[in-house]
Amino acid sequence: LLAQYRKLMGQQVAAEQAVRSGLANCPQSAGLHLEEAKRLAAAGRNEEAMAEFRESFRLNPSEAGPLVQLAVILVSAKRGEEAVAALNEALDKQPENPEALVMLTDYYINAGSEAQALRWWDHVRRQPRTPPGMAASLRDAYKLRFGRDLP
């Protein structure tokens, strides 16, 4: 909480110090590992960030968020199969996680796998927590990739 407050106040160095201090004193904190993972990812230190996302999930295996964020890095690193595996694991924990559903749909649109994209789109459109902007982005990406509107 202190780290998030300092970050919001523009005190980036103090926020980083708070996370490091928190991890030194409470290494079993999933939330602190998640904050550290986000910081590392923002700094482009992807391998370290992925390890922290995994640790955050290990410490709190009912929370799918770290796996979704891990998948973002994996996709950007062109490690699609690993990203899909992370997203599927996230959905095992939280079956209707809108971010995981959107990412899988987008992944398959970009991969040119229309059948898989449509399969995951069906889940996205049935999920009431899917932000409208995300759904609109998928519609645009699908139309651009396949030349027609999503059903």
Side-chain angles (χ1 to χ4, degrees), residues 1-150:
L1 186 59
L2 178 61
Q4 291 173 339
Y5 170 75
R6 287 185 172 160
K7 190 174 179 180
L8 286 172
M9 298 304 294
Q11 301 171 354
Q12 189 63 35
V13 172
E16 291 172 12
Q17 290 172 341
V19 169
R20 282 194 295 276
S21 174
L23 281 171
N25 292 309
C26 188
Q28 297 301 310
S29 170
L32 288 172
H33 282 282
L34 183 59
E35 286 302 313
E36 180 68 356
K38 290 176 184 178
R39 182 187 73 77
L40 291 165
R45 295 167 57 186
N46 290 341
E47 290 298 323
E48 294 167 272
M50 288 188 292
E52 290 293 331
F53 283 127
R54 287 184 180 106
E55 182 64 6
S56 178
F57 176 72
R58 186 188 72 74
L59 293 167
N60 186 5
S62 64
E63 178 57 47
L67 292 174
V68 173
Q69 293 181 28
L70 170 63
V72 170
I73 294 174
L74 289 166
V75 167
S76 71
K78 308 287 189 238
R79 293 165 61 179
E81 288 181 21
E82 291 175 74
V84 168
L87 292 167
N88 281 319
E89 188 173 359
L91 290 170
D92 285 345
K93 302 301 177 184
Q94 294 177 338
E96 295 301 318
N97 182 292
E99 290 84 10
L101 295 172
V102 166
M103 279 196 66
L104 279 166
T105 307
D106 188 62
Y107 174 80
Y108 286 116
I109 289 170
N110 288 317
S113 178
E114 188 172 18
Q116 286 283 37
L118 289 171
R119 172 183 171 228
W120 289 107
W121 168 250
D122 189 53
H123 291 281
V124 169
R125 68 183 182 87
R126 293 173 194 260
Q127 172 49 263
R129 295 183 301 137
T130 301
M134 286 182 169
S137 292
L138 290 174
R139 284 186 189 95
D140 292 344
Y142 184 90
K143 186 167 189 162
L144 184 65
R145 178 69 172 178
F146 298 109
R148 56 189 163 282
D149 292 329
L150 276 165

